[in-house]
Amino acid sequence: MAVAYVPLPSEEGVIVAGDDAGRLWRWDPVTGDLLGEPTAGPASKVRIIKALPPAVGTSLFVSSDQEGILQRWDTETGAPVGPAMETGTYVFALATAGVDGTDLLLAAGADEVVRAWDAGTGEPIGLAVQGVAVSIPARGSGATLLATSTARGEIVVYECGIRSA
C-alpha cells in the first residue's frame, strides 16, 4: 500500500513498507533481508509512509492510515515514537520542511486543510492553510516555500521563513 526509503544516521538506509492490514515491514536495501518482525501499525490500511528529517543520532518515519491517523516510528527498531497525531480526515499527501530551525511535518487531506506538526516532537504547530495537496519546492535563497493545491485546481504558494543553519 505504501513504501519509502528512510536514511539512517550511518549513511545507510531502510526500506519501509505498509500493508492493507496495518503492518509495517522493514528491509535492508542491500541484502533484501527482513529486519525484525513486522510491526503492528495503525488499525487500518497504511496509505502513506514518509521519511522525517534526520535528527541527531536517530532516524524516524511517519505513516498515515486510511483514517487520517499519523504515527511516527523509529526506523531502526520499528517502535512507535510518541502519541499518534490525528488529522480528522483522510490524508492525501505528506511533506516535510525546515522553517526557522524547526522541522515540520505537513499533512493535506480530504477536508482541504493542510496541518502541521513539529516532526521531532509530534507537537501540533498552529498552521492550517487551505489545500488537498502539499509540496515544498526548493528555493536557493534559503526561504522555505509551501505550495498547496485546492480541490478546484488553484495553486497557492506561501513563503514560510528562512531555515536556520
Side-chain angles (χ1 to χ4, degrees), residues 6-9 51-60 96 103 119-120 163:
V6 183
L8 295 172
L52 293 175
V56 177
T58 188
S59 174
L60 302 176
T96 59
D103 290 317
R163 178 164 180 118

Side-chain angles (χ1 to χ4, degrees), residues 96-118:
T96 59
V99 178
D100 293 331
T102 301
D103 290 317
L104 301 180
L105 169 63
L106 302 132
D111 64 354
E112 296 193 49
V113 175
V114 176
R115 294 172 176 82
W117 294 264
D118 181 305

Side-chain angles (χ1 to χ4, degrees), residues 3-83:
V3 66
Y5 175 81
V6 183
L8 295 172
S10 64
E11 296 186 21
E12 297 172 1
V14 174
I15 301 292
V16 180
D19 66 22
D20 59 357
R23 292 176 301 221
L24 295 163
W25 304 75
R26 297 171 303 116
W27 288 276
D28 181 307
V30 175
T31 66
D33 293 338
L34 184 62
L35 301 173
E37 294 297 316
T39 302
S44 65
K45 299 175 183 178
V46 178
R47 294 291 186 187
I48 305 171
I49 295 174
K50 175 85 175 155
L52 293 175
V56 177
T58 188
S59 174
L60 302 176
F61 66 93
V62 65
S63 66
S64 176
D65 70 4
Q66 69 183 23
E67 306 299 324
I69 297 173
L70 309 179
Q71 177 65 58
R72 294 175 308 129
W73 303 89
D74 182 295
T75 306
E76 293 186 69
T77 67
V81 175

